[in-house]
Amino acid sequence: MPSEPTASPSTPDAGWLAAERARLWDFARGSVHPAGGFAWLDDDGRPELDRPVEAWITCRMTHVAALEVLAGNRDAEPVLDHGVRALREVLRDAEHGGWFSAVDTATGEPVSTRKACYDHAFVLLASSSATAAGHPDGAALLAEARAVFADHFWDDEAGMAVEAWDRGWTTLEDYRGVNANMHTVEALLAVHEVSGGIEPLRQASRVVERVVHGFARDADWRLPEHFTSDWTALPDYNRDSPADPFRPYGVTIGHLLEWSRLTLHLRTALGDDAPDWLLDDAAGLFDRAVADGWHADDCDGFVYTTDFDGVPVVRQRLHWVVAEGIGAAWVLARETGEAGYADWYAAWWAHAEACFIDREHGSWRHELDERNRPAATVWKGKPDAYHAYQAALLPSLRPAASFAGALRGA
């Protein structure tokens, strides 16, 4: 493990975490779009109603609303219903099946007809959470999402998910990506825990073994993200567009932390059948993220990306990265009992409070520059409550494969 923080701030207690979840929810629920789905929020929480409604934002908000319902917040039920209805009507392709990435709310027409695994993974997650929360249409939505995933995205020979199709499912994109597969693992673990089926767990295990125990371990934990159709790495991909919000060049530090946490959720799901390498690899990913990404330029915070030698490329600090650091540190501390992880957990909450949590305008600032000043190079506004909300929820849950599964079994 990299050297521990020089100071050990106090660890947030259950009351503080509950208050933070309530504060995040109060801000995020303002994203309900009158035309269906959820809107992009600006820095002050105003919905940008002229922007298209995007699937990933709608799914993440539906997921968070389901978690609120599972935690006993009855006022979240209409928000959950709004999200489920958007996935069954607004964003769904009634002609060819599957879901559009974004829809123009003025015309109801898709902004793009591309069918992306990233978005469909979040439909799986949202529908699983809605099902766990008891929404009457959750099970039907989940069944449809599972069928689309099985028919179009799962490549059993590769043990991975493919990236994207055209609208009619006739042309498959040559690119393969680790980001979409990461969220596929997250979704499959939720499907497994909510449905009880073994196939989603088998699929999640295969992806984690290939990505974490293969690609990441072979690269000394500097995980390549971009690949050809036969899963040959593309190390120079997007070198000329390094700050891309979904496909940045190089190593994405936050994804190392997110894979670390998800690897441990898989370990929990597998129970006695879990291989020993899952814990070792989760620690390896975490250590690499801290060594390369934290305080990389004499200022606290995680850089967004590095090159494959660990040199920072995009130095902006994004809120979701420290949120994933908090989650990974918490689970590693619980699973290993090592005090060093608990120290990082406390230190990163202190960093979030000092730099990201916006007590004046609400939610978390989504991006800071290399000196922790507000910025908007990669992300503008505050459209995403999911990472921060989950960071504030995880310490309150029993060990589980998914957030919804843990709350449903509480």
Side-chain angles (χ1 to χ4, degrees):
M1 185 191 306
S3 59
E4 298 168 13
T6 54
S8 296
S10 59
T11 302
D13 62 21
W16 189 95
L17 292 169
E20 180 60 12
R21 294 195 300 274
R23 195 184 68 85
L24 286 162
W25 172 250
D26 188 57
F27 183 93
R29 66 181 180 175
S31 63
V32 170
H33 197 299
F38 296 91
W40 191 283
L41 295 178
D42 70 11
D43 286 329
D44 296 318
R46 293 184 294 262
E48 299 187 10
L49 299 181
D50 293 337
R51 289 181 64 130
V53 164
E54 298 186 60
W56 68 274
I57 292 176
T58 293
C59 289
R60 289 183 179 190
M61 273 302 301
T62 303
H63 165 68
V64 172
L67 299 183
E68 279 286 302
V69 171
L70 282 161
N73 182 1
R74 297 294 300 273
D75 291 340
E77 289 178 356
V79 183
L80 173 59
D81 186 64
H82 183 83
V84 171
R85 188 164 60 252
L87 293 174
R88 287 176 64 81
E89 299 172 6
V90 178
L91 287 155
R92 178 175 172 269
D93 183 353
E95 182 178 356
H96 297 285
W99 286 266
F100 298 120
S101 295
V103 169
D104 186 319
T105 56
T107 65
E109 293 299 313
V111 173
S112 167
T113 57
R114 178 174 176 269
K115 303 281 181 65
C117 181
Y118 184 89
D119 298 308
H120 285 74
F122 277 112
V123 176
L124 277 172
L125 179 68
S127 58
S128 295
S129 299
T131 301
H135 190 281
D137 293 328
L141 180 62
L142 177 56
E144 183 176 3
R146 292 186 69 179
V148 171
F149 178 78
D151 290 344
H152 301 296
F153 289 105
W154 180 249
D155 179 352
D156 200 58
E157 182 178 353
M160 300 283 282
V162 300
E163 186 71 12
W165 294 85
D166 65 335
R167 179 175 184 175
W169 308 105
T170 59
T171 303
L172 176 62
E173 187 175 327
D174 288 337
Y175 171 91
R176 300 287 184 271
V178 162
N179 189 11
N181 274 273
M182 181 183 71
H183 287 294
T184 292
V185 168
E186 174 188 33
L188 290 171
L189 289 174
V191 173
H192 160 71
E193 202 155 49
V194 169
S195 70
I198 197 64
E199 180 63 8
L201 182 60
R202 182 189 74 87
Q203 292 169 332
S205 298
R206 292 188 67 192
V207 175
V208 170
E209 182 167 6
R210 186 157 194 195
V211 172
V212 173
H213 204 51
F215 300 146
R217 176 177 280 274
D218 291 347
D220 197 21
W221 307 114
R222 293 185 178 117
L223 174 64
E225 297 258 344
H226 314 296
F227 293 80
T228 65
S229 60
D230 64 355
W231 289 101
T232 299
L234 296 168
D236 290 329
Y237 189 91
N238 264 353
R239 182 184 285 273
D240 295 332
S241 183
D244 189 278
F246 294 104
R247 294 183 181 182
Y249 160 74
V251 180
T252 306
I253 294 298
H255 287 168
L256 304 185
L257 296 164
E258 202 162 354
W259 276 110
S260 177
R261 176 176 63 82
L262 289 169
T263 297
L264 295 173
H265 289 326
L266 173 63
R267 182 172 180 262
T268 296
L270 291 172
D272 292 341
D273 294 327
D276 292 340
W277 60 260
L278 285 169
L279 182 58
D280 294 339
D281 287 11
L285 289 162
F286 181 94
D287 291 352
R288 174 55 67 197
V290 177
D292 288 356
W294 177 256
H295 200 87
D297 42 18
D298 298 321
C299 188
D300 279 353
F302 285 106
V303 299
Y304 180 36
T305 64
T306 72
D307 66 16
F308 292 100
D309 293 317
V311 178
V313 175
V314 179
R315 296 174 181 271
Q316 278 83 355
R317 283 84 159 105
L318 301 186
H319 90 288
W320 68 267
V321 180
V322 72
E324 287 301 329
I326 287 166
W330 171 263
V331 181
L332 278 164
R334 184 186 66 200
E335 296 300 306
T336 66
E338 294 183 20
Y341 293 120
D343 289 342
W344 281 118
Y345 170 78
W348 291 335
W349 266 124
H351 174 66
E353 177 66 67
C355 298
F356 283 100
I357 294 176
D358 188 344
R359 297 288 177 191
E360 180 179 359
H361 300 289
S363 190
W364 291 27
R365 300 176 186 91
H366 274 31
E367 181 184 340
L368 307 174
D369 69 10
E370 68 276 9
R371 294 298 168 193
N372 289 317
R373 298 166 298 201
T377 302
V378 182
W379 290 110
K380 293 179 174 64
K382 297 173 179 172
D384 182 12
Y386 142 96
H387 285 285
Y389 184 93
Q390 291 188 159
L393 176 61
L394 184 59
S396 304
L397 302 178
R398 64 175 178 85
S402 68
F403 289 87
L407 281 171
R408 189 178 67 165

